[in-house]
Amino acid sequence: MTILDKIVANKRKEVANAKTRVSYTKLEEAEHFSRETYSFREFLLAPDRTGIIAEFKRRSPSKGIINDKVTVKQVTTAYAAAGASALSVLTDKQFFMGQKVDVKKARAYNNIPILRKDFMIDEYQVIEAKAMGADVILLIAAILTPAEIDKLATLAKSLGLNVLLEVHNLEELERSIHPQLDAIGVNNRNLADFTVSVDTSFQLAKHIPDEFLKVSESAISNTEVIKELKQAGFSGFLIGENFMKEEDPGAAIREFVKGL
């Protein structure tokens, strides 16, 4: 059983429990459910923004605790002020020390798109994402069938949410492309052994249809890589550990963007 298998198995239990605690009706009554979402495309392509999707992540299964000393407000507002195009906020508790309230906190202090970063397997989670104030959801091709991607993406778009599909290889990309997607993200992390290589993005770039925003995820540790990725057609760059591993993630992103 891979770590991804364990995460998904645990997620099924989590979602089942959540459904017993908070009804669909209750979610739809949440303060953010009726808000108009921000356009992922607009912010990624904005000339006064960096294209960086800056991630708030306390822990990962491969690295253990990355940074559990900083607050959502402290980090996300610094990210936005430094020119981040969007925020990525982990909500998986068991494996990443994330919390659903983290998205609500980020929403309270920021006026840029927020990606709810989680392992989406059920329509309930899409409703949750809208209720907590997210603008973008992540669909991971490695854990979803084309039919499941269709169902979740269609629901998300009906709620005004943006959809980012994550792929790891050409096979996942070819079977998962869907007209309801806004962006396709290439995860440069090998889910089998957790090694990372940005070459994965360069290899898949030419296979991603131009109507979708191209996002490169993980393994981005310097601005030269971003410049090369832009030349390959990428407009989004998801960066988490590179900032979060520092004592002051806000200072880290401010220093980083000087090189852009």
Side-chain angles (χ1 to χ4, degrees):
M1 201 178 195
T2 67
I3 185 65
L4 191 59
D5 293 332
K6 292 176 183 176
I7 290 172
V8 172
N10 185 72
K11 192 60 57 180
R12 295 193 191 287
K13 294 176 185 175
E14 267 186 25
V15 174
N17 289 334
K19 287 178 178 178
T20 66
R21 294 195 308 272
V22 183
S23 68
Y24 281 91
T25 302
K26 197 74 175 173
L27 290 175
E28 291 168 359
E29 292 171 349
E31 61 172 320
H32 295 307
F33 194 80
S34 58
R35 67 173 278 272
E36 188 174 341
T37 53
Y38 291 115
S39 165
F40 196 37
R41 174 176 291 274
E42 188 178 306
F43 276 79
L44 277 190
L45 300 181
D48 61 336
R49 293 273 160 191
T50 59
I52 292 173
I53 304 161
E55 191 158 88
F56 183 83
K57 177 163 66 172
R58 297 183 182 90
R59 182 186 189 280
S60 79
S62 58
K63 298 285 180 67
I65 291 177
I66 299 164
N67 190 338
D68 61 352
K69 307 299 183 193
V70 289
T71 68
V72 175
K73 179 182 179 181
Q74 169 190 350
V75 174
T76 60
T77 54
Y79 282 165
S85 290
L87 303 168
S88 172
V89 181
L90 269 295
T91 57
D92 178 84
K93 184 177 182 180
Q94 180 76 19
F95 297 90
F96 292 87
M97 289 179 68
Q99 300 174 35
K100 293 173 185 177
V101 73
D102 290 340
V103 172
K104 293 181 182 178
K105 288 178 179 177
R107 175 81 292 141
Y109 298 111
N110 297 282
N111 297 311
I112 62 175
I114 297 174
L115 165 68
R116 181 199 180 177
K117 184 86 173 285
D118 211 318
F119 299 81
M120 311 293 278
I121 54 170
D122 193 285
E123 289 173 300
Y124 182 86
Q125 294 167 288
V126 180
I127 305 288
E128 267 189 332
K130 187 69 163 69
M132 62 179 69
D135 304 275
V136 192
I137 63 161
L138 178 73
L139 299 182
I140 302 173
I143 63 173
L144 297 168
T145 65
E148 288 169 332
I149 289 170
D150 172 64
K151 181 173 68 173
L152 296 175
T154 300
L155 173 60
K157 296 304 290 182
S158 75
L159 297 173
L161 291 165
N162 301 262
V163 183
L164 169 62
L165 174 77
E166 176 180 294
V167 300
H168 299 83
N169 55 50
L170 184 58
E171 184 274 329
E172 286 181 1
L173 172 64
E174 290 180 338
R175 69 172 160 81
S176 304
I177 287 177
H178 191 281
Q180 298 281 32
L181 305 174
D182 296 282
I184 294 178
V186 179
N187 192 333
N188 299 310
R189 187 181 304 279
N190 184 314
L191 290 183
D193 57 15
F194 282 91
T195 56
V196 291
S197 172
V198 76
D199 285 342
T200 307
S201 284
F202 291 114
Q203 289 166 11
L204 291 184
K206 60 183 176 289
H207 298 285
I208 300 173
D210 289 338
E211 67 255 37
F212 303 110
L213 293 163
K214 297 177 186 178
V215 177
S216 184
E217 307 170 7
S218 299
I220 302 170
S221 57
N222 64 73
T223 52
E224 290 308 308
V225 171
I226 286 184
K227 291 172 184 176
E228 291 172 12
L229 286 166
K230 282 184 176 180
Q231 290 183 335
F234 287 87
S235 51
F237 317 94
L238 194 147
I239 304 176
E241 290 178 18
N242 197 55
F243 302 144
M244 286 298 294
K245 68 183 180 183
E246 302 298 332
E247 187 176 343
D248 185 346
I253 189 173
R254 285 194 295 274
E255 188 61 33
F256 186 88
V257 300
K258 288 178 183 177
L260 294 174

